[in-house]
Amino acid sequence: MKRKLIAAVGVAGMLMSVAACGGDDGDSGDKTGADGFKGQTLTVWAMDGSTPPGWTKDLTAAFEKQTKAKLKFETQQWNGIQQKITTSLSEDNPPDVLEVGNTQTPAYAATGGLADLSDLKSEIGADWTEALNASSVFDGKQYAAPWYFANRVVVYNKKVWADAGIKGTPKTRAEFFDALETIDKKTDAEPIYLPGQNWYFFDGLTIGQGADLVKKDGDKYVSNLADPKVGKAMEIYKEYQAFSKAPKDKDEATPQQAEVFAKGNVGAFIGMGWEAGTAIAANKKIEKDIGYFTIPGETADKPEGVFLGGSNFAVAAGSKKQELAKEFLKLALSDKFEGALAKENGVIPNKESLQTNLSANPAAVAAAPAAAGGGTTPLIPEWAAVENDPNPIKSYMTAVLKGKSPAEAAKQVEAEINKRLAQSS
């Protein structure tokens, strides 16, 4: 009998196609014995780009040797994945293990579609980085396991900084502002390219201020944008943006900030490490001038707060292979394979002790120190609708940059945010 889910869940920008897939090859669930799980096939949905060839090959061989079962990876596309997962979790034969976006996880858990993995956390997750594990927990229970993550860094032009006479990289926010001021005075370059609506950088600043974007009002969530801590984060953003000529009413993709940086007359931008590749594709000559550093915080001992994007592994509650799925997770999340994934894909692993695997990737090395103090957007199912276009928080940011106080700008958009938070999830 088909299980019922409360409803489809959503995160901005990922709602398009609807599809349903089964993950069962006709075998009838966990059966262990002398032959382990022989004759069974475990189906894992992983997103395009998440499972590099070497890692996948070695993990598959190790899993099949250890369990006597077969392992089948099915690659999924981000476009439309939300609805596809929601539909699949309501089917009789869902995929057994799924990669789910970290900010999506609470919404899937709220539907009852994910298995409780609290016992797995007790067994293998004692040293998972707390900030990375937070999105796997919903309503006090462990509904997923943290897999890999990424966050923003400062990508800078070494030549521009050298032309300004700057040696080394800043360790505090004040030092960063001093460097931008120096570039402004001593070169013709734009010190930093920062459009007015780089929303995920702003979210990181709110995390750094210990601010929450929502609060509880009785039994519902409402906007907390008027909180002075959020206002402080926006004032910091405004101070950065004052060094930029970028439009105040556009985001980092309009135009692509890395392509602006590629022209060679910008000192820095704040983005994902892979965006350097976009810059190099636009102008091969800039490759030798690119460097990275951690976004500095108020003090040298604590980097700026960052939004942690990433993925968790979850087990479908409707899977008939719960024990086999857990055997897969124990192996995939082991130090050996978690470390190998970090090395091959340049992503932040789920525990700090494995960050040594990033040494060959300078962008990842710059990102790693901020991970422990990072966070996400509000981990509630109701948040999904808030980020749908037009994102009211982006409107708030532009209003502040054009002269409104944070309190005034918050007042302009809070009714819309509360309306979206009240939508059925």
Side-chain angles (χ1 to χ4, degrees), residues 20 22-23 87 92 104 106 151 153 191 241 258 267 274 304 326-327 368 425:
T87 303
D92 290 329
Q104 302 169 12
N151 54 264
V153 298
Q241 214 275 329
W274 56 260
E304 185 56 84
K326 289 176 184 177
E327 290 301 312
S425 56

Side-chain angles (χ1 to χ4, degrees), residues 209-293:
Q209 292 300 309
D212 294 314
L213 294 174
V214 297
K215 62 184 178 182
K216 216 46 183 310
D217 180 17
D219 61 351
K220 62 182 179 181
Y221 286 97
V222 297
S223 170
N224 194 40
L225 211 58
D227 185 339
K229 291 181 181 179
V230 177
K232 172 63 175 174
M234 190 59 221
E235 292 289 1
I236 294 170
Y237 190 101
K238 186 175 182 179
E239 195 168 354
Y240 274 111
Q241 214 275 329
F243 289 102
S244 180
K245 299 174 185 175
K248 294 177 170 61
D249 59 352
K250 302 293 182 184
D251 63 21
E252 67 275 21
T254 316
Q256 288 290 340
Q257 62 181 3
E259 293 179 355
V260 176
F261 177 80
K263 296 175 183 178
N265 201 37
V266 170
F269 72 93
I270 293 170
M272 306 300 289
W274 56 260
E275 290 183 74
T278 302
I280 293 165
N283 177 15
K284 179 68 176 175
K285 293 180 180 178
I286 203 169
E287 183 171 9
K288 66 183 185 305
D289 296 326
I290 293 178
Y292 311 86
F293 60 88

Side-chain angles (χ1 to χ4, degrees), residues 336-399:
K336 176 181 178 179
F337 286 104
E338 184 74 4
L341 183 74
K343 183 178 290 186
E344 195 168 349
N345 261 11
V347 292
I348 308 299
N350 62 17
K351 57 179 72 172
E352 291 181 59
S353 61
L354 298 176
Q355 290 181 4
T356 53
N357 290 280
L358 301 173
S359 59
N361 187 313
V365 168
T376 65
T377 51
L379 293 171
I380 56 173
E382 296 89 343
W383 180 257
V386 176
E387 290 189 50
N388 286 334
D389 288 332
N391 183 336
I393 298 181
K394 289 185 176 182
S395 300
Y396 159 85
M397 295 171 69
T398 296

Side-chain angles (χ1 to χ4, degrees), residues 53-73 328 331-332 336-337:
W55 182 88
T56 305
K57 178 182 176 182
D58 292 345
L59 176 60
T60 299
F63 175 83
E64 294 186 350
K65 180 179 179 181
Q66 180 174 301
T67 65
K68 308 297 192 295
K70 295 293 183 183
L71 181 61
K72 180 169 70 173
F73 281 100
F328 168 81
L331 201 57
K336 176 181 178 179
F337 286 104

Side-chain angles (χ1 to χ4, degrees), residues 171-216:
K171 300 298 185 288
T172 67
R173 188 187 305 133
E175 289 178 4
F176 193 7
F177 286 145
D178 286 346
L180 297 176
E181 182 76 30
T182 300
I183 292 169
D184 191 37
K185 289 180 177 179
K186 294 188 175 182
T187 77
D188 293 329
E190 183 176 1
I192 188 170
Y193 183 84
L194 180 65
Q197 298 182 347
N198 189 332
W199 139 242
Y200 284 113
F201 173 48
F202 170 61
D203 184 55
L205 295 175
T206 69
I207 291 164
Q209 292 300 309
D212 294 314
L213 294 174
V214 297
K215 62 184 178 182
K216 216 46 183 310

